[in-house]
Amino acid sequence: RIAIFLLTFTALFLTGCKSQDPAVKAAEEAEQRILFDKAVQALNNREFVVEADRITFKRGNSTYVSAATNFISVHGEKGTIQMAFNSPYAGPNGIGGITVDGSVSNFKTETDEKGNVTISMSVFGVGVSASVTIRMSNGTNQCSATVYPNFNSNVTTFTGYVYAEEDSNVFKGRAL
């Protein structure tokens, strides 16, 4: 009985380890390509949101966060950077963190030979003075966005996905 059980278990395990169906894989790649193309268009139009599901701080410590309240957005010449954590403390933005609005300048888009997209820009406002670099790999809307404050060394990296503004579901808190 044990031998039959082990044989059955091994057969089921090996069946589950088979490579993914080529049709399913092709459909997933096509979906990722559509998301990538839409994200590139949103970046070029300056109407995008980076929804972060993880934030990494200066010394490499990271935390998983809600994409609905942790984001970087650009609408034309206006930008917003928001971090909000699950905390009993409401924070300056009323949702457990900080929200800063500013003007976007020095907006540059580069695409390397592999098709990876890099956006660099500056965001200046009452509560923010920073350079931001967004890197998105070819074929996916997954990205990292690093915020380099101009007056301190508290570099913060948002890891998540780029969406067109109209496809984003973020909740903006009170800005400084």
Side-chain angles (χ1 to χ4, degrees):
R1 287 185 162 207
I2 292 175
I4 293 172
F5 171 77
L6 288 175
L7 268 163
T8 304
F9 177 78
T10 303
L12 289 172
F13 178 77
L14 292 175
T15 302
C17 292
K18 274 177 50 177
S19 64
Q20 190 176 21
D21 180 358
V24 171
K25 187 174 181 181
E28 287 176 358
E29 287 174 358
E31 182 180 356
Q32 285 298 314
R33 175 52 66 180
I34 290 168
L35 289 170
F36 173 78
D37 291 341
K38 193 164 187 179
V40 168
Q41 185 65 42
L43 291 167
N44 289 333
N45 291 342
R46 295 187 190 191
E47 293 183 354
F48 65 89
V49 179
V50 173
E51 294 184 11
D53 52 20
R54 188 178 69 191
I55 294 180
T56 305
F57 301 98
K58 177 180 176 179
R59 291 189 177 28
N61 296 328
S62 66
T63 185
Y64 289 94
V65 295
S66 168
T69 56
N70 293 273
F71 63 89
I72 298 171
S73 67
V74 171
H75 181 82
E77 301 301 318
K78 300 292 180 191
T80 299
I81 301 171
Q82 176 173 289
M83 288 189 293
F85 305 100
N86 291 331
S87 165
Y89 173 65
N93 64 2
I95 56 172
I98 188 167
T99 303
V100 290
D101 289 330
S103 297
V104 173
S105 62
N106 302 321
F107 192 93
K108 295 178 187 152
T109 304
E110 293 179 23
T111 303
D112 68 15
E113 65 280 350
K114 294 180 181 178
N116 303 314
V117 178
T118 302
I119 300 290
S120 60
M121 62 184 172
S122 299
V123 182
F124 298 105
V126 173
V128 63
S129 176
S131 298
V132 179
T133 302
I134 301 167
R135 291 181 180 87
M136 187 172 67
S137 298
N138 186 12
T140 179
N141 65 327
Q142 189 171 5
C143 74
S144 68
T146 305
V147 179
Y148 303 92
N150 293 330
F151 300 117
N152 64 47
S153 61
N154 294 327
V155 174
T156 306
T157 300
F158 292 66
T159 303
Y161 298 88
V162 176
Y163 295 102
E165 195 173 45
E166 67 267 10
D167 295 334
S168 178
N169 287 318
V170 295
F171 178 81
K172 184 177 174 185
R174 235 182 356 258
L176 293 178

